[in-house]
Every structure is written in C-alpha cells, then in structure tokens.
C-alpha cells in the first residue's frame, strides 16, 4: 500500500483512478494519423498535404475556428469500419486512462449530409462499444447530437432517421456553433426525444451566455449541462445546479484551446467544486485539444493546486452524473473506494 505524499504519487493515484467520461465527441478523437489513413483508404482528398501541416492548423481562436477543421477531418469517415476504427482507437486510449464507463457523443448530421447512412454510423460505433466491453471491460453508451447551426427541421429529420435505431443510443445532445443558436430553437425536438424515452443533455454556456444555460434547463429540460462554465457569471445559476444536482461536464483543455479561459490557472473548475457543483472532467475533442482524460486531470489539477480529495470527488461526480442504473453506479463507486483504499485514502 502506498500513501499519497508527493506529486508523483498523486499522479499515479489519478492515472489509475476509475472514472467515467461523459463529454467526448467521438469524431473529435480522430487523430491526424487516422484521418490520413482513412483518407487514403477511402480515396478522399484533404486540404492538407500531410499530418504535420494538419496538426499545425490546430491553432484555434474560438469554437468556430475549431469546428471548421473538425468537420473537414470527419469527411474521411464513410464506411462502417471507419466508425469502428475511430471509436476503437478512442476506447484503447480511454482504457489506458482508467475510464471504465464512457458516454460518447456522435454527430450523425455531419455524415448523413455527405450521403452516409445513419445505420452505417451507428453500426460502426456500436460494434466498437461491444468490443470495448469484451476486450477492455469498458461500459459505454451513445448520445446522438443535433448540430445547432442547422435548422429545427433538419434536427427533426435526423430524429426520424434515428427512430429505427431507438434502443441503440440513450439520449440526445446539442452541439456545434453555440452563439446565435439558443437552446429554445430545439425545444420541440427535445420534447419529442423525451417522449421517445431518450435522455437529454445539451452544450450550454461554453461560449454562450448564462441565459443559454437557463434555456437548456427550462426549455429543453436537460439532465446535464455540457460545459456550463459560464454559469458562474450568474449567482442564481450556481444555486440551481447545486440544489438540483444537475451535473456540468467540464472540459478544461478544450476551454483553453478555444480561448474560453486565458489559461488553466484561470479556470473555474476548482471554484465549482468548492461551491458543491457536480462538476466532472472530460476531454471533449481530445485529438484536437492536446490530450485525453488523464491529461485533462493532470494539467488542471496541477494548475489549480487540486489534491487527491478533489480528484476523488471528480471521479465520484462522474459516476453520479452518468446515465446508469443505481446498481451499476454503486458498483462503480465501490471500485473507486477500493482504489482509494489501495492508496490509503480513507
Ligand atoms: N463545442 C460545441 N460543439 C462541438 C464541440 C465543442 O467543444 N466539439 C464538437 N462539437
Ligand atoms: Zn463538446
């Protein structure tokens, strides 16, 4: 047994800590090397000559500057095997980071608009999820995201296309360009999704104002807020997630890469924990933002001076916030307790 006495031990404790990842866009896990391999396999031409020049373009100034490159990268995905390979690569990295449960966002409109069938996307992702369970012991679920820069009508059409696959994904989310596309644009689509028994989450308060968080809660009736880092600008918005235990899926490295905060020392994750918000740490688009889940934990904890107790709280929050049965949640929390016990953390 080891006790946590220095930064190296804290790092080892965090690295091996069982955790859930709840905010990962699977298309954002597409590494440049895989983008080029798939482009070659599928005969797709890219506007970059090689991996290095693509990676060099990852200097973002805001969300939109990232999204333009992210959608270009996703254009190499055409066949079921491509979706499988992408998700399987993610699961292997997640496993190395102690992830035991993952809820993956996918953006079907990015693919169906290019003529790829909804079934192709879901078949490929689902087979990777099954493989992750069989070979790595990772439990996972899929969450279908609507692109908010597209119309309500397009979102309804997407939900309709996904109907034959109900039961293969657990919920709906809302992503893409936030400012100018408030949650209420999708109020009726969310009402229909909830009527179908789907869980509801939405990106809100990443770049957008606190009102968008209110909109996601009151109009879309979401159970989790993705990002939500702007909530601390409105004191009433802090009280509500605490009282109602509405989790925020925070993505620190993403927030820095997209210039939401000046640097990690200015991030409000530590403040969220002090306030009792059910905050979680996630990687968002790890291939683009400088690291997977443990990288997010290590860099953020070190910048904010967070210790083992905070790490444990973040992992417990990730299980509380996950869409699992009470029995499975309990089992996850017991695995976390066992890990803490091995590090002599009562
Ligand atoms: N924000 C909004 N939409 C997205 C993101 C994000 O960070 N990543 C992929 N789609
Ligand atoms: Zn996101």
């Amino acid at each position: 047994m080891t006790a946590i006495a220095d930064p190296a031990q804290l790092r080892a404790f965090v690295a091996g800590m069982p955790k859930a990842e709840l905010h990962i866009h699977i298309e954002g896990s597409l590494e440049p090397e895989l983008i080029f391999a798939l482009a070659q396999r599928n005969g797709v031409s890219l506007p970059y000559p090689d991996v290095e020049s693509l990676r060099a373009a990852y200097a973002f100034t805001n969300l939109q500057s990232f999204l333009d490159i992210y959608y270009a990268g996703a254009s190499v995905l055409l066949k079921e095997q491509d979706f499988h390979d992408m998700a399987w690569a993610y699961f292997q990295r997640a496993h190395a980071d102690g992830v035991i449960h993952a809820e993956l966002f996918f953006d079907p409109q990015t693919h169906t608009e290019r003529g790829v069938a909804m079934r192709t996307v879901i078949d490929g992702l689902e087979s990777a999820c099954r493989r992750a369970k069989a070979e790595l012991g990772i439990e996972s679920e899929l969450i279908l995201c609507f692109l908010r820069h597209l119309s309500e009508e397009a979102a309804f059409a997407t939900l309709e296309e996904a109907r034959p696959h109900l039961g293969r994904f657990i919920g709906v989310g809302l992503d893409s360009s936030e400012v100018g596309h408030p949650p209420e644009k999708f109020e009726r689509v969310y009402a229909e999704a909830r009527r179908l028994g789907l869980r509801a989450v939405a990106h809100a308060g990443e770049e957008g104002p606190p009102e968008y968080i209110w909109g996601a809660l009151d109009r879309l009736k979401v159970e989790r807020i993705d990002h939500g880092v702007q909530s601390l600008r409105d004191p009433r918005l802090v009280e509500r997630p605490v009282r109602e235990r509405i989790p925020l899926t925070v993505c620190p490295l993403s927030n820095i890469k997209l210039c939401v905060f000046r640097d990690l020392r200015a991030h409000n994750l530590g403040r969220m924990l002090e306030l009792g918000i059910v905050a979680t740490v996630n990687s968002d688009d790890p291939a683009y933002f400088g690291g997977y889940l443990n990288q997010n934990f290590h860099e953020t904890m070190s910048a904010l001076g967070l210790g083992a107790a905070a790490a444990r709280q973040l992992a417990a929050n990730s299980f509380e916030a996950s869409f699992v049965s009470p029995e499975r949640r309990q089992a996850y929390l017991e695995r976390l307790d066992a890990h803490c016990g091995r590090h002599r953390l009562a």
Side-chain angles (χ1 to χ4, degrees):
M1 289 222 292
T2 51
I4 295 166
D6 62 41
Q9 286 170 347
L10 179 59
R11 197 178 166 90
F13 168 73
V14 169
M17 180 174 72
K19 23 180 123 63
E21 178 148 55
L22 307 175
H23 187 157
I24 156 84
H25 301 263
I26 199 60
E27 293 90 346
S29 72
L30 207 44
E31 292 286 343
E33 289 77 8
L34 188 53
I35 291 179
F36 272 86
L38 295 180
Q40 191 165 33
R41 192 158 96 186
N42 290 330
V44 175
S45 66
L46 291 166
Y48 300 91
D50 50 36
V51 165
E52 289 67 39
S53 51
L54 175 58
R55 217 186 273 283
Y58 294 179
F60 312 117
T61 49
N62 57 21
L63 175 57
Q64 193 59 50
S65 65
F66 154 69
L67 289 170
D68 294 341
I69 290 189
Y70 163 84
Y71 294 129
S75 71
V76 300
L77 298 159
L78 291 178
K79 312 240 171 63
E80 181 184 332
Q81 187 69 44
D82 306 336
F83 291 92
H84 176 98
D85 292 350
M86 168 175 70
W88 176 241
Y90 163 72
F91 281 126
Q92 289 172 282
R93 289 173 181 267
H95 180 61
D97 279 3
V99 173
I100 60 171
H101 177 93
E103 297 180 8
L104 314 185
F105 293 142
F106 69 110
D107 285 343
Q109 286 159 295
T110 305
H111 315 300
T112 53
E113 279 202 327
R114 297 180 291 114
V116 178
M118 179 74 77
R119 174 178 299 282
T120 303
V121 179
I122 296 182
D123 283 353
L125 296 178
E126 195 182 52
S127 70
C129 291
R130 273 199 305 269
R131 186 174 176 191
K133 169 74 180 151
E135 295 185 29
L136 307 171
I138 298 182
E139 300 281 352
S140 58
E141 302 287 357
L142 299 174
I143 296 179
L144 180 157
C145 286
F146 301 114
L147 299 184
R148 69 202 302 160
H149 68 276
L150 300 179
S151 65
E152 179 198 38
E153 191 188 359
F156 264 119
T158 300
L159 188 56
E160 197 51 40
E161 252 183 289
R163 264 173 101 102
H165 308 287
L166 282 177
R168 304 178 73 192
F169 60 101
I170 55 163
V172 294
L174 188 62
D175 63 7
S176 190
S177 323
E178 185 180 11
V179 174
H181 301 285
E184 47 272 28
K185 179 174 165 187
F186 298 95
E187 184 167 5
R188 295 187 301 181
V189 185
Y190 267 67
E192 176 62 9
R194 283 187 284 100
R195 204 186 60 75
L196 294 171
L198 292 163
R199 316 295 297 251
V201 301
H203 283 53
E206 178 183 14
E207 284 184 343
E211 294 77 62
Y212 284 21
I213 301 174
W214 287 111
L217 292 172
D218 293 334
R219 309 282 288 269
L220 305 185
K221 305 202 182 335
V222 300
E223 301 167 73
R224 295 196 299 244
I225 295 283
D226 297 313
H227 291 295
V229 290
Q230 305 298 339
S231 59
L232 269 54
R233 284 164 50 191
D234 181 344
R236 292 167 308 150
L237 253 180
V238 171
E239 189 215 320
R240 184 155 171 203
V242 171
R243 187 167 24 92
E244 298 181 16
R245 296 200 74 69
I246 295 163
L248 304 188
T249 64
V250 177
C251 308
L253 289 178
S254 162
N255 293 150
I256 305 315
K257 276 281 186 214
L258 301 186
C259 307
V260 174
F261 292 94
R262 189 183 65 250
D263 57 37
L264 276 176
R265 281 166 305 169
H267 201 285
N268 56 19
L269 179 72
R271 181 86 189 110
M272 287 181 183
L273 292 179
E274 284 166 14
L275 291 166
I277 292 175
V278 186
T280 65
V281 168
N282 305 271
S283 67
D284 208 5
D285 299 282
Y288 293 89
F289 296 154
Y292 287 76
L293 193 48
N294 277 351
Q295 194 70 23
N296 273 271
F297 268 95
H298 295 320
E299 288 194 36
T300 310
M301 289 180 59
S302 135
L304 297 178
L306 301 176
R312 181 185 195 163
Q313 184 68 57
L314 288 163
N317 288 352
S318 75
F319 297 134
E320 176 176 347
S322 63
F323 292 143
V324 295
S325 66
E327 294 74 30
R328 186 172 293 170
R329 179 171 298 115
Q330 189 53 35
Y332 288 159
L333 289 168
E334 283 168 15
R335 283 177 71 173
L336 176 60
D337 285 348
H339 177 75
C340 294
R342 283 192 294 275
H343 288 261
R344 286 203 249 136
L345 207 69

